[in-house]
């Protein structure tokens, strides 16, 4: 409220104010593809065709361009680029609840501690954004398009580290980013309104030194940079080649992948694509027959596009959900070939930013039910991302303000050494 | 603000009266009023004494326009209507501020707003990580709201939360022990200390924590066949059970087998000799109106975080005790003080001046209050729903946001504006700091633009041809900023109307500009 705390307030308002350059790290940005609901590991990156129809269902496995690595046949484009990504098949946390699973996969912490931890996006946006001299006109943590919900992304870091959710739909003719573009209001009208507001906004003139009012004014300047400045242009997908837009797929997901690439090009450190529809209790196979080709197109093109532009080496792609799905298929009504929640074993894909492609980490048993070799906790994935970004030392010291060491149980900082 | 017309501007305000007259006045008011005014002048004396020592000049008493807006927002979390502002400004009675305070303290919105604040501290939400579930949330919220409405003495409020047994649906108070992330005796003790002692016992030595945890070692939980029903009970057979404990003041105690240790603790806590209990609520109450505590943060009371004004805090504590924990009475006393009624236009900008309450601090409105205010002035509504349990529940659209029981029922707007997550019960979980995403939302989001388009209560007022221009502009200002426009402002608006020919657009632009002023977004 005052004194040194007042200074902190001012700092956290900018999207980049205090230059504090963190050491090295190849990775500059993360694109997180969040498969909300929990994608079936058996039907994506950990196929078990030998387990029979009862487990594998109707889908077959297909060889990738890396010998010995097979993925689901409905992901043919990704199968051609297995050398560019690693598959973590040993993911496990044991929770079968969406909220708890999400919390654990996003924060790397167990649920039930007194402190609510921030997710990876908020942590990166702190150490690569606000606290690291980030000067972009786009907020450092962007979600395409809807917030995750049921999960407080910023935890104890607070509201200023929450993501900017774009709203809108990038596959529509005009991507109306919430707050940045207002339908039916021209730039000229925006300018006129702004001038009117300046004349009527009298309180700050009476209190020029007030910290709250200064913070409000600063926030407004930043907002106008997005509305009237260069910020808005990054969201205009019309400047991309038609051919490329087709390759990504004209779906909301496909165009979100393209949007994510554009944001990363502008230096945005963390972009989450919130991709829902993976909670396939019912009709798992019918749903995935429709969904996997869309997923394949978007993700495979994103990897290729980033690679073609020389951005893959500095951009981490992290793709996965809160858990996997029950390996044994429930063919009875009303599930009709459905799969439940499965936190004991699931898969995650990691690419770029220094992660070695063409590798598989961890192995599940013959039915994909348990991790047989090399179990991997969500925290190991996060730690590896932090290490590649060169912010691991800062993350290790991250604590809520005023916290005693006792508040924050120290967990070992393990890494995915196999692919670093 | 220098208003163009302000009938009350020349009226004296209470602060200018000699002390004795003021006291006599209050005595007169008190005889017929439900809340007996304590001599709040003692508050001002404590504050002024400290300011004088520091050589800090306090700000002037605020104008009636500023006061009417401030008191509505602070006491009932609700913007005054244009009519309420007009009535108050036109009121010629010398005691009109006191009368308004007393009246607001009896409004239904008072119970709504303070239930919302208490639900933050008591962590009232259905889902992760608290997991009270909807039935229990509704029961708990209703109990909290009713307790506030009936002005239950605060010691009884605390005692009932601490010692109740029974079903979470039928005995709502037991949800206190369910609204935690972790049900170990130590975690329960942490929650009790944070809530009622304003202490973070995680920072205490381990043995002292264990000593207090033992009081909560016989809290039992059991499920019933009803979905999400849970019984909280005194369970001497608990595997955690301990037969002795140590009070936070160091005194040890042994329990008899039939004694519920929670009762022993509650009796100690609310006992009149216990400084923890009264200090915590007196300091919290002060911080809720004055923006920060005499001890700050108000839930971080410890020996190395002393009060900035010990005399003031001691006085508030003693008034609370002599008023038998009548929190509303304490509220009224604070609100009627000159200290509370000072202008935000400070004469000194040092941190010391703010810390010592030399002026009223400007703060951004809370998420719920802001969205309710936007809906009130535009005539729009919000859509809230709960996705658990299925089938979904939909909250009636005309229900105000401050009345929402469940912290899990939310909207992107509420998240963006830092509504409390209700995960920890710490005051700082509510975040009222401004940020750029919030400004984008209010300047330009479809959510807010649609309120201007569709809920065009104000816009249509502006388009009515019959009314003189002057009246229309007054109505906009009274509705949105709770005051009349100044001459300069009226001139700016009339120029804007000449520049922009399209009438509908002019109306919308003016409403848009006024809701985007700092004056609208903040309490001041």
């Amino acid at each position: 409220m005052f004194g040194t705390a007042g200074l902190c307030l001012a700092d956290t308002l900018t999207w980049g104010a205090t230059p504090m350059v963190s050491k090295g790290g190849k990775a500059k940005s993360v694109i997180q593809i969040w498969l909300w609901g929990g994608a079936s590991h058996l039907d994506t990156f950990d196929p078990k065709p030998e387990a029979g129809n009862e487990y594998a269902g109707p889908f077959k496995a297909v060889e990738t361009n890396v010998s010995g690595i097979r993925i689901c046949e409905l992901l043919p484009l990704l199968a051609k680029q297995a050398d560019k990504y690693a598959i973590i098949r040993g993911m496990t946390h044991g929770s079968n609840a969406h909220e708890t699973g999400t919390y654990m996969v996003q924060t790397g912490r167990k649920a039930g501690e007194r402190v609510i931890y921030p997710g990876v996006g908020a942590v990166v946006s702190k150490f690569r954004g606000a606290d690291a001299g980030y000067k972009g006109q786009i907020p450092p943590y962007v979600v395409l398009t809807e917030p995750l919900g049921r999960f407080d992304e910023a935890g104890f870091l607070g509201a200023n580290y929450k993501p900017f959710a774009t709203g809108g739909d990038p596959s529509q003719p005009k991507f109306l980013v919430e707050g940045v573009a207002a339908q039916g209001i021209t730039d000229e009208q925006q300018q006129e309104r702004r001038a009117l507001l300046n004349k009527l906004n009298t309180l700050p003139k009476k209190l020029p030194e007030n910290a709250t009012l200064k913070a409000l004014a600063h926030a407004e300047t930043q907002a106008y940079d997005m509305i009237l400045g260069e910020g808005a242009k990054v969201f205009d997908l019309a400047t991309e080649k038609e051919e490329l837009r087709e390759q990504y797929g004209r779906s909301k997901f496909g165009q979100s992948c393209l949007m994510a690439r554009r944001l990363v090009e502008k230096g945005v450190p963390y972009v989450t694509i919130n991709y829902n529809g993976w909670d396939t209790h019912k009709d798992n196979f019918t749903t995935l027959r429709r969904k996997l080709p869309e997923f394949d197109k978007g993700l495979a093109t994103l990897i290729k596009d980033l690679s073609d532009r020389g951005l893959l080496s500095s951009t981490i792609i992290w793709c996965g959900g809160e858990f996997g799905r029950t390996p044994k298929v429930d063919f009875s009504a009303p599930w009709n070939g459905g799969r439940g929640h499965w936190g004991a074993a699931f898969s995650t894909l990691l690419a770029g930013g220094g992660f070695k492609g063409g590798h598989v980490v961890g192995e599940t048993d013959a039915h994909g039910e348990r991790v047989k070799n090399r179990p991997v906790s969500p925290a190991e994935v996060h730690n590896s991302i932090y290490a590649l970004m060169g912010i691991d030392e800062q993350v290790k010291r991250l604590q809520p303000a005023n916290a005693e060491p006792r508040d924050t149980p120290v967990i070992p900082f393990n890494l995915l050494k196999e692919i670093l | 603000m220098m208003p163009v017309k302000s009938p009350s501007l020349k009226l004296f305000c209470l602060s200018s009266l000699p002390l004795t007259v003021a006291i006599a006045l209050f005595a007169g008011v008190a005889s017929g009023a439900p809340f007996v005014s304590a001599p709040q002048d003692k508050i001002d004396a404590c504050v002024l004494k400290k300011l004088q020592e520091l050589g800090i000049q306090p700000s002037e008493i605020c104008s009636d326009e500023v006061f009417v807006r401030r008191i509505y927002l602070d006491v009932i979390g609700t913007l005054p209507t244009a009519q309420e502002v007009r009535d108050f400004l036109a009121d010629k009675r010398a005691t009109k501020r006191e009368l308004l305070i007393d009246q607001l303290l009896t409004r239904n919105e008072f119970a709504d707003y303070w239930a919302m604040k208490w639900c933050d501290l008591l962590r009232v939400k259905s889902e992760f990580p608290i997991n009270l579930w909807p039935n229990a949330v509704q029961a708990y919220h209703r109990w909290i709201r009713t307790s506030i409405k009936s002005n239950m003495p605060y010691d009884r409020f605390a005692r009932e939360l601490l010692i109740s047994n029974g079903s979470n649906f039928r005995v709502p108070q037991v949800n206190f022990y369910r609204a935690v992330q972790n049900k170990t005796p130590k975690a329960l003790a942490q929650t009790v200390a944070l809530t009622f002692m304003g202490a973070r016992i995680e920072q205490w030595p381990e043995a002292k924590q264990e000593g207090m945890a033992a009081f909560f070692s016989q809290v039992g939980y059991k499920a019933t066949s009803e979905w999400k029903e849970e019984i909280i009970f005194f369970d001497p057979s608990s595997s955690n059970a301990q037969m002795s404990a140590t009070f936070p003041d160091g005194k040890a105690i042994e329990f008899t087998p039939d004694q519920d240790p929670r009762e022993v603790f509650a009796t100690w806590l609310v006992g009149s000799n216990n400084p923890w209990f009264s200090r915590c609520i007196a300091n919290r109450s002060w911080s809720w109106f004055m923006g920060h505590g005499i001890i700050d943060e108000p839930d971080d009371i410890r020996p190395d975080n002393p009060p900035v004004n010990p005399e003031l805090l001691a006085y508030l504590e003693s008034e609370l005790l002599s008023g038998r924990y009548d929190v509303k009475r304490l509220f009224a006393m604070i609100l009627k003080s000159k200290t509370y009624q000072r202008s935000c236009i400070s004469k000194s900008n040092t941190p010391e001046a703010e810390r010592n309450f030399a002026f009223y601090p400007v703060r951004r409105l809370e998420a719920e209050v802001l969205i309710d205010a936007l809906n009130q002035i535009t005539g729009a509504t919000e859509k809230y729903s709960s996705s658990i349990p299925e089938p979904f529940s939909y909250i009636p659209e005309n229900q105000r946001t401050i009345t929402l029981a469940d912290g899990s029922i939310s909207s992107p707007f509420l998240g963006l504006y830092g509504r409390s997550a209700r995960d920890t019960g710490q005051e700082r979980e509510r975040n009222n700091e401004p940020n750029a995403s919030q400004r984008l939302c209010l300047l330009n989001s479809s959510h807010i633009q649609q309120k201007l388009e569709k809920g065009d209560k104000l816009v249509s007022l502006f388009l009515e041809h019959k009314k003189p221009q002057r009246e229309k502009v007054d109505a906009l200002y009274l509705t949105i900023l709770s005051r009349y426009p100044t001459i300069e402002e009226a001139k700016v608006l009339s120029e804007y109307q000449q520049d922009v020919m399209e009438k509908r657009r002019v109306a919308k632009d003016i409403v848009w500009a006024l809701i985007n002023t700092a004056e609208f977004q903040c309490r001041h």
Side-chain angles (χ1 to χ4, degrees):
Chain A
M1 192 54 82
F2 34 65
T4 50
L7 288 173
C8 292
L9 174 77
D11 284 351
T12 49
L13 280 159
T14 56
W15 283 326
T18 331
M20 190 179 79
V21 181
S22 57
K23 67 162 183 156
K26 295 174 201 163
K28 298 196 162 40
S29 300
V30 178
I31 297 173
Q32 178 192 19
I33 297 170
W34 181 246
L35 306 179
W36 201 107
S40 164
H41 51 303
L42 270 73
D43 303 318
T44 53
F45 298 111
D46 195 5
K48 301 285 180 186
E50 288 78 14
N53 188 51
E54 216 183 338
Y55 288 89
F59 299 163
K60 295 185 178 50
V62 59
E63 287 292 333
T64 64
N65 67 341
V66 176
S67 85
I69 302 181
R70 294 185 304 173
I71 60 174
C72 178
E73 61 173 341
L74 294 176
L75 303 171
L77 300 171
L78 282 166
K80 287 182 194 152
Q81 312 189 61
D83 58 315
K84 294 204 176 72
Y85 54 81
I87 298 171
I88 318 297
R89 286 179 179 159
M91 294 301 302
T92 178
H93 56 55
S95 169
N96 288 342
H98 288 295
E99 294 88 348
T100 320
T102 299
Y103 180 77
M104 291 200 282
V105 174
Q106 297 271 8
T107 68
R109 291 277 174 165
K110 277 206 162 50
E113 292 170 351
R114 186 171 170 94
V115 172
I116 299 295
Y117 278 81
V120 180
V123 171
V124 169
S125 104
K126 177 172 173 63
F127 293 123
R128 277 294 190 175
D131 298 4
Y134 172 71
K135 294 261 187 280
Q137 286 183 323
I138 311 293
Y141 177 14
V142 177
V143 172
L144 299 162
T145 54
E146 299 303 324
L148 296 182
R150 290 187 172 183
F151 163 66
D152 177 15
E153 299 93 339
F156 67 74
L157 291 178
N160 290 333
Y161 294 93
K162 275 186 176 283
F164 172 70
T166 61
D169 179 353
S171 68
Q172 293 298 309
K174 185 153 171 49
F175 180 23
L176 288 171
V177 177
E178 204 43 68
V180 174
Q183 212 156 13
I185 300 178
T186 61
D187 276 4
E188 191 196 356
Q189 195 183 347
Q190 290 281 11
Q191 300 278 18
E192 284 169 1
R193 278 184 161 191
R194 191 181 187 183
L196 177 66
L197 171 58
N198 281 340
K199 285 180 197 159
L200 297 181
N201 195 16
T202 50
L203 187 62
K205 287 166 197 153
K206 291 176 188 159
L207 275 172
E209 294 305 316
N210 185 282
T212 304
L213 296 179
K214 280 207 281 200
L216 204 59
H218 181 69
E220 189 174 302
T221 308
Q222 284 184 319
Y224 270 115
D225 281 348
M226 297 249 299
I227 297 171
L228 292 166
E230 290 296 307
K233 290 185 186 156
V234 70
F235 294 109
D236 184 7
L237 289 173
T239 57
E240 292 287 335
K241 287 204 179 88
E242 276 303 303
E243 196 192 340
L244 187 65
R245 293 192 74 176
E246 289 298 331
Q247 281 170 17
Y248 272 100
R250 288 294 188 154
S251 63
K252 188 172 177 182
F253 172 69
Q255 297 301 300
S256 294
C257 286
L258 173 57
M259 195 61 249
R261 190 218 78 210
R262 288 174 65 88
L263 290 167
V264 161
E265 274 179 321
K266 287 279 176 195
V268 176
Y270 204 95
V271 181
T272 296
I273 299 173
N274 186 15
Y275 188 15
N276 58 21
W278 298 93
D279 198 12
T280 51
H281 289 278
K282 294 181 186 175
D283 299 314
N284 173 66
F285 301 100
T286 324
T287 310
L288 292 186
R289 235 178 244 295
R290 192 185 66 240
K291 206 160 178 71
L292 288 176
E294 172 188 292
F295 172 61
D296 189 41
K297 250 184 149 177
L299 179 55
T301 308
L302 177 63
I303 295 173
K304 185 171 179 304
D305 195 13
L306 284 172
S307 173
D308 290 349
R309 287 163 191 263
L311 287 168
L312 191 60
S313 59
S314 61
T315 307
I316 292 169
I317 297 174
W318 170 28
C319 173
E322 64 266 44
F323 38 54
R325 302 209 77 83
T326 315
K328 190 169 177 183
V329 182
D330 192 343
F331 286 103
S332 67
W335 315 111
N336 305 325
R339 295 189 192 268
H341 302 169
W342 199 259
F346 55 103
S347 300
T348 280
L349 177 146
L350 287 166
F355 280 118
K356 284 184 205 158
H359 283 260
V360 170
V361 181
E363 187 187 355
T364 53
D365 61 17
H367 291 152
E369 289 174 328
R370 302 273 174 260
V371 179
K372 200 167 72 179
N373 285 317
R374 180 62 172 108
V376 176
S377 71
E380 283 174 80
V381 174
H382 307 170
N383 296 343
S384 306
I385 291 172
Y386 298 144
L388 288 176
M389 300 195 92
I391 58 174
D392 43 333
E393 288 306 318
Q394 287 144 291
V395 173
K396 282 180 200 170
R397 291 193 298 271
L398 181 65
Q399 278 203 348
N402 297 350
E404 291 288 296
R406 272 197 297 279
D407 289 351
T408 51
V410 178
I411 50 172
F413 203 83
N414 294 330
L415 296 169
L416 291 165
K417 294 212 179 72
E418 298 91 331
I419 54 169
L420 289 177
Chain B
M1 302 292 141
M2 270 309 291
V4 178
K5 60 177 183 187
S6 165
S8 60
L9 190 70
K10 290 286 183 289
L11 282 177
F12 76 101
C13 70
L14 197 66
S15 58
S16 59
L17 280 179
L19 195 70
T20 45
V21 180
I23 291 169
L25 255 171
F26 285 126
V29 174
S31 60
F35 310 109
V36 181
S37 295
Q40 52 270 14
D41 308 82
K42 177 78 196 273
I43 290 179
D44 299 320
C46 291
V47 171
L48 283 176
K49 191 177 150 204
K50 182 75 193 291
L51 289 174
Q52 261 159 18
E53 277 167 29
L54 295 166
I56 295 167
Q57 220 188 340
S59 66
E60 304 292 336
I61 301 298
C62 68
S63 68
D64 278 344
E65 281 94 341
V66 168
F67 176 79
V68 67
R69 181 183 178 86
R70 180 189 295 177
I71 201 78
Y72 270 78
L73 290 170
D74 283 354
V75 178
I76 64 172
T78 302
L79 209 57
T81 63
Q83 195 55 48
E84 284 167 334
V85 176
R86 279 196 176 102
D87 290 348
F88 179 77
L89 296 181
D91 190 342
K92 301 261 190 294
R93 287 174 296 179
T95 55
K96 66 176 181 174
R97 289 195 185 192
E98 289 67 34
L99 292 169
L100 180 59
I101 290 168
D102 291 340
Q103 185 220 325
L104 289 176
L105 287 168
T106 63
R107 291 258 299 240
N108 280 327
E109 296 94 330
F110 173 82
D112 295 337
Y113 180 57
W114 291 93
M116 175 189 102
K117 294 214 171 209
W118 270 102
C119 286
D120 287 355
L121 305 182
L122 296 172
R123 307 157 307 279
V124 181
K125 72 191 278 194
S126 286
E127 292 182 56
F128 178 82
I130 294 299
N131 300 328
L132 278 179
W133 296 97
N135 262 1
V137 161
Q138 294 303 326
Y140 198 15
H141 175 264
R142 196 173 307 119
W143 182 83
I144 293 165
R145 189 185 178 282
T146 308
S147 307
I148 292 167
K149 180 80 188 147
S150 67
N151 198 25
M152 179 188 284
Y154 179 69
D155 54 344
R156 203 180 119 206
F157 180 76
R159 195 176 160 84
E160 289 200 14
L161 289 172
L162 287 174
I163 66 166
S164 294
N165 295 300
S167 151
N168 56 342
F169 299 162
R170 290 170 187 80
V171 186
Q173 302 93 309
V174 301
N175 286 296
F176 180 82
Y177 288 108
R178 294 181 67 245
V180 286
Q181 294 184 41
N182 181 338
K183 290 170 181 162
T184 60
K186 204 160 143 186
L188 295 180
Q190 286 179 351
T191 302
V192 170
L194 182 76
T195 311
F196 298 115
M197 296 159 64
R200 300 182 186 171
I201 68 167
E202 310 84 286
Q203 296 166 344
W204 292 1
E206 193 69 26
K208 198 176 169 188
Q209 289 186 53
E210 298 291 346
M212 180 164 163
F215 288 105
F216 307 97
S217 64
Q218 299 180 39
V219 180
Y221 297 85
K222 65 183 171 193
T224 76
S225 55
E226 187 78 29
W227 188 71
K228 300 295 181 191
E229 188 181 40
E230 195 172 33
I231 310 283
I232 282 53
F233 63 108
F234 167 41
D235 181 12
S237 65
S238 163
S239 57
N240 293 321
Q242 295 194 33
M243 295 313 290
S244 65
T246 314
F247 291 108
D249 61 10
K251 205 174 110 227
I253 185 161
E254 303 267 331
F255 310 126
T256 58
D258 60 344
Q259 209 173 16
D260 184 342
R262 291 178 298 161
E263 294 213 21
V264 178
F265 183 84
T267 304
W268 170 83
L269 180 71
V270 306
S272 58
N273 297 327
N274 189 340
W276 288 102
F277 184 65
S278 51
R279 180 173 307 161
C280 174
I281 186 63
N283 185 51
R284 275 195 205 264
S285 303
W286 181 265
S287 76
W288 291 331
F289 295 114
M290 296 307 302
H292 49 100
I294 304 167
I295 299 173
D296 203 56
E297 303 169 52
D299 50 15
D300 193 14
I301 300 180
R302 51 190 153 84
D304 53 344
N305 184 19
V308 288
N309 192 331
E311 200 187 338
L312 172 63
L313 185 54
Y315 176 65
L316 298 178
E317 283 174 52
S318 70
E319 280 299 313
L320 199 54
L321 284 174
S322 64
R324 297 188 184 164
Y325 287 108
D326 181 342
V327 173
K328 237 186 217 192
R329 178 177 171 274
L330 182 70
F331 278 11
M333 201 172 98
I334 295 171
L335 296 167
K336 290 172 184 175
S337 72
K338 283 182 212 157
T339 305
Y340 170 77
Q341 297 184 18
R342 290 199 184 285
S343 163
C344 66
I345 313 291
S346 51
K347 294 187 175 169
S348 163
N349 261 312
T350 62
E352 281 293 282
E354 178 164 12
R355 217 191 307 259
N356 285 286
F357 317 108
F359 54 89
Y360 180 88
V362 176
R363 287 156 289 157
R364 206 207 69 216
L365 296 180
E366 298 110 314
E368 298 93 327
V369 174
L370 183 60
I371 195 70
D372 279 348
L374 288 165
N375 286 333
Q376 178 177 319
I377 62 182
T378 58
T381 53
E382 290 298 293
K383 286 190 172 80
Y384 296 109
S385 63
S386 168
S387 55
I388 59 159
E390 286 187 53
F392 293 5
S393 311
Y394 294 92
I395 308 293
E397 279 195 33
N398 58 0
Q399 192 173 327
R400 302 181 67 226
T401 308
I402 59 168
T403 66
L404 288 182
D406 192 342
S408 296
I409 296 180
S410 197
S411 69
F413 184 95
L414 295 179
L416 183 62
Y417 276 87
R419 181 201 203 197
S420 172
R422 295 186 177 172
D423 291 341
T424 68
Q426 291 190 2
E427 300 245 8
R428 67 154 92 115
E429 246 192 307
R430 179 175 285 283
N431 186 331
N432 291 334
E433 287 173 30
N435 66 39
S437 300
Q438 294 164 4
R439 292 301 293 120
L440 276 179
C441 172
L442 203 54
L443 288 168
N444 217 23
S445 70
S446 58
H447 181 205
I448 303 303
Q449 296 305 318
Q450 272 176 16
K451 290 188 189 301
L452 299 182
E453 296 278 344
K454 290 184 184 155
D456 52 8
K457 207 162 98 179
L458 282 185
V459 175
S460 55
L461 176 149
F462 211 80
L463 297 178
E464 265 181 55
H465 292 291
K466 287 175 206 151
K467 283 194 178 142
Q469 191 60 24
R470 181 72 236 199
E471 236 172 82
K472 292 178 187 175
V473 173
D474 282 357
L476 286 184
Y477 264 79
L478 287 166
T479 307
I480 300 173
L481 298 181
S482 321
R483 64 174 174 89
Y484 290 100
T486 61
I487 293 169
E488 296 78 42
E489 285 163 343
K491 200 167 141 240
V492 167
L493 293 187
S494 107
E495 280 167 10
Y496 192 75
Q497 289 172 66
Q498 283 158 15
D499 291 350
V500 180
M501 293 309 289
E502 194 198 329
K503 275 199 174 138
R504 201 180 162 77
R505 207 198 109 186
V506 168
K508 253 187 298 183
D509 284 359
I510 294 174
V511 176
W512 172 90
L514 292 179
I515 64 168
N516 274 291
T517 57
E519 197 179 338
F520 177 74
Q521 295 168 68
C522 297
R523 50 182 86 228
H524 53 82

